[in-house]
Amino acid sequence: MTHELKTPIATVTAAVEALQHFGALTDPKKTQTYLTISQNNLQRLSDMVEKVLNLAVDEKRELVLRPEPINLHDLVQELIASHQVKTPKPVTFQVDIPTDTLVTVDSIHVGNALNNLIDNAINYSGDQVTVRLTFQCSGQGWQLAVADDGIGIPKTYQSAIFDRFFRVPTGDLHPVKGFGLGLAYVRQVVERHGGRIQVASEPGEGSEFRLTFS
Ligand code: ADP
């Protein structure tokens, strides 16, 4: 997080210094390059600040739900269609949700939460990934599991991943950009619905996030 915010600042600082001190202003091509670098990095910074501020507000404000009966199968199919357009790597989706599955939830927040889980399944995996979405009725409630065959999560970090700003440490190298806010939001959405979220994961084998609603 700190690193991601500091990098664009350092880059713009360096570009401005170059313009001030190293004669770049007398070279229109160099000037243009440094200005473009500055502009791109300021945009990145602005996007990140926006995201952090939005989530900071969300923490204070109770999440307001508007539950309504929705077809879970159709919602998941819509989400998958948008992921298939934007993902840069081969993703196989396996959906085991009956076509007539009706549940009463806030479709916007649950849709966002599932998007976060699918994004993570895709991001924290190798060159290709299989994402499985499975529905189960249990007692008076129901469960939805989102599972992948990606990099997995070491046992020691499995409870911390739901904390705000927590990311599994990877040393200096962080190939996946993020803030560690997605799963905190997912948990908030599930718990506001009176449900709970659990993770089962093995490093190198994959992860399964199980959402239980009553
Ligand atoms: P972000 O992805 O922005 O870091 P999240 O709150 O969504 O934030 O996830 C927190 C951390 O949990 C991630 O940084 C990653 O280390 C780990 N993680 C989440 N989902 C998965 C997954 N499906 N497979 C492996 N690791 C995961």
Side-chain angles (χ1 to χ4, degrees), residues 27-167:
D27 180 341
K29 224 175 138 191
K30 258 193 194 163
T31 303
Q32 198 51 51
T33 307
Y34 286 126
L35 287 177
T36 307
I37 291 174
S38 301
Q39 202 174 21
N40 290 344
N41 278 278
L42 285 173
Q43 185 58 50
R44 247 181 76 197
L45 200 57
S46 155
D47 290 348
M48 284 193 274
V49 168
E50 181 73 12
K51 212 166 161 179
V52 170
L53 288 180
N54 279 343
L55 278 138
V57 168
D58 275 353
E59 189 182 33
K60 299 252 160 54
R61 222 175 29 203
E62 281 278 276
L63 213 70
V64 180
L65 300 183
R66 292 190 180 76
E68 55 184 344
I70 58 144
N71 183 314
L72 191 65
H73 175 270
D74 293 352
L75 174 69
V76 165
Q77 290 301 344
E78 272 170 38
L79 299 177
I80 289 176
S82 62
H83 278 277
Q84 266 159 339
V85 176
K86 71 177 186 193
T87 178
K89 65 181 164 190
V91 183
T92 305
F93 285 98
Q94 291 175 355
V95 181
D96 186 4
I97 306 174
T99 52
D100 58 353
T101 305
L102 280 186
V103 292
T104 300
V105 293
D106 182 307
S107 60
I108 304 284
H109 284 299
V110 168
N112 286 343
L114 293 179
N115 252 335
N116 268 298
L117 292 175
I118 296 171
D119 263 340
N120 283 349
I122 296 172
N123 289 336
Y124 299 106
S125 58
D127 293 340
Q128 49 186 35
V129 58
T130 299
V131 183
R132 287 183 311 282
L133 291 117
T134 315
F135 176 84
Q136 263 185 343
C137 267
S138 57
Q140 305 120 12
W142 54 277
Q143 291 191 331
L144 181 68
V146 181
D148 62 65
D149 53 1
I151 61 173
I153 302 159
K155 287 272 176 298
T156 38
Y157 299 123
Q158 286 179 12
S159 54
I161 55 172
F162 298 102
D163 294 344
R164 295 164 74 79
F165 298 117
F166 181 85
R167 309 193 75 204

